[in-house]
Amino acid sequence: MKLIKSLVAASAAFVIGFSAFAIDGTEVMSHVYNRQKPDFTQASVLLTLAKNGKVEETRKVGEYGRSKNDLEDIVMVFLDPASVKDTRFLVKANEGKDDDKWIYLPKLKQVRRIASSEGSGSFVGTDFSYDDMSSRKVEDDTHELLKESEDKGNFKDLYVVKSTPKDPKSSQYAYRISWVTKDAWIPTYIEMYDKKGKLLKVNEIKAIKKMPGTNGRVYNIPLENVMSNVQTGHTSTIKMVNILIDKPIDEHKFTTDFLSTGR
């Protein structure tokens, strides 16, 4: 009888232990990539650049987003100050290949395609690189679940996943470690390591807001996103204000023609 009880207890412990780690890193990041997003978003954005905590410049940006066939397109229009006014940027997601990116630079009066080799370059003088402005495909990396529950920043009980490029040449980072919310599947804290294995940048979501969309849907919208270069002490903060959800946007907004004309 004691032997039977011991076997039952051992089996129960095995089941509990197995269920606690039933999800793996790839599944976590698949949920992140495939989480429900609004059909359309429009927002006024404040983009603040700072060095060692001292504000250098605040920019005003208009942002438009569209999710179509599970692919996201984003347009950013710089409105102020004069040094970046009328700069326009477009990212169009693709199935099974890298996103397409274009930028319109008013001084040159032309739209320029961002080559994949330029992905590590600074996005309009910020701490975000061009590649940071779009998401990597899940299959481009191997994903290891490091911890099933850890608190980080303003959020609690997060999955911790290490993502390493399958092809080291495909990323400017040697690897990334992401802290992912279990309810919204949003990476709220990401550490990015350079090719020498040293921490280079930290991307932190400070706040998330639930916002209603159409057909009774509710979305989790990040409101404040801070990219910090820990090696230089420079930061770039994106703060969303005046957000509209699921209000249709003319498809022309997501074209290179719009980039070149602004209308």
Side-chain angles (χ1 to χ4, degrees):
M1 181 64 70
K2 288 184 178 180
L3 176 60
I4 293 174
K5 287 183 178 179
S6 297
L7 290 174
V8 170
S11 298
F14 174 79
V15 170
I16 292 171
F18 179 79
S19 63
F21 298 94
I23 194 168
D24 63 23
T26 299
E27 289 178 279
V28 171
M29 300 314 288
S30 294
H31 281 298
V32 169
Y33 189 83
N34 296 315
R35 71 180 183 271
Q36 188 178 60
K37 304 172 184 71
D39 293 335
F40 300 97
T41 58
Q42 300 180 53
S44 298
V45 175
L46 294 179
L47 173 53
T48 303
L49 308 181
K51 174 76 171 182
N52 295 324
K54 183 178 180 180
V55 173
E56 296 177 329
E57 183 177 87
T58 297
R59 301 171 175 178
K60 294 181 180 179
V61 184
E63 182 175 300
Y64 306 88
R66 173 181 68 175
S67 182
K68 186 177 182 180
N69 300 323
D70 295 324
L71 297 173
E72 287 186 278
D73 301 333
I74 297 173
V75 171
M76 299 181 74
V77 179
F78 287 75
L79 306 172
D80 192 66
S83 59
V84 292
K85 182 178 171 61
D86 293 330
T87 299
R88 293 182 278 272
F89 178 67
L90 169 63
V91 180
K92 292 182 72 70
N94 295 305
E95 183 67 42
K97 63 178 183 177
D98 291 342
D99 297 348
D100 291 319
K101 306 180 188 73
W102 295 269
I103 191 166
Y104 173 77
L105 300 171
K107 289 184 180 180
L108 300 179
K109 296 185 178 180
Q110 66 178 19
V111 175
R112 188 172 71 82
R113 189 187 186 98
I114 305 299
S116 58
S117 60
E118 300 176 87
S120 61
S122 171
F123 170 65
V124 197
T126 72
D127 296 286
F128 294 89
S129 69
Y130 284 108
D131 283 348
D132 292 334
M133 300 305 293
S134 60
S135 57
R136 281 177 65 84
K137 308 296 187 291
V138 177
E139 60 270 20
D140 289 342
D141 304 314
T142 58
H143 306 281
E144 178 188 358
L145 181 63
L146 301 180
K147 295 181 182 179
E148 200 214 337
S149 178
E150 185 171 275
D151 300 344
K152 196 73 168 178
N154 294 334
F155 300 90
K156 298 182 179 298
D157 191 24
L158 311 171
Y159 290 118
V160 185
V161 178
K162 180 180 180 180
S163 300
T164 305
K166 293 178 180 178
D167 177 6
K169 294 181 181 179
S170 71
S171 175
Q172 69 198 91
Y173 307 115
Y175 60 91
R176 306 180 319 278
I177 298 178
S178 304
W179 282 256
V180 179
T181 61
K182 295 182 178 180
D183 56 345
W185 301 108
I186 293 176
T188 55
Y189 197 96
I190 306 173
E191 293 181 344
M192 305 168 189
Y193 291 79
D194 66 19
K195 295 297 187 178
K196 295 181 179 179
K198 295 182 179 180
L199 181 61
L200 174 61
K201 295 193 289 189
V202 171
N203 189 206
E204 183 176 6
I205 302 295
K206 295 287 191 178
I208 296 173
K209 182 178 180 180
K210 290 186 178 296
M211 299 191 69
T214 57
N215 300 320
R217 292 179 292 184
V218 177
Y219 305 103
N220 293 285
I221 306 296
L223 297 181
E224 187 174 351
N225 185 351
V226 182
M227 181 69 85
S228 304
N229 187 317
V230 300
Q231 296 183 7
T232 66
H234 203 273
T235 62
S236 301
T237 300
I238 293 177
K239 189 171 184 179
M240 311 284 280
V241 294
N242 300 324
I243 306 171
L244 294 177
I245 301 294
D246 283 347
K247 181 179 179 180
I249 302 171
D250 192 314
E251 290 195 3
H252 181 69
K253 272 277 197 310
F254 303 95
T255 66
T256 54
D257 285 342
F258 173 76
L259 288 193
S260 62
T261 64
R263 58 180 186 277

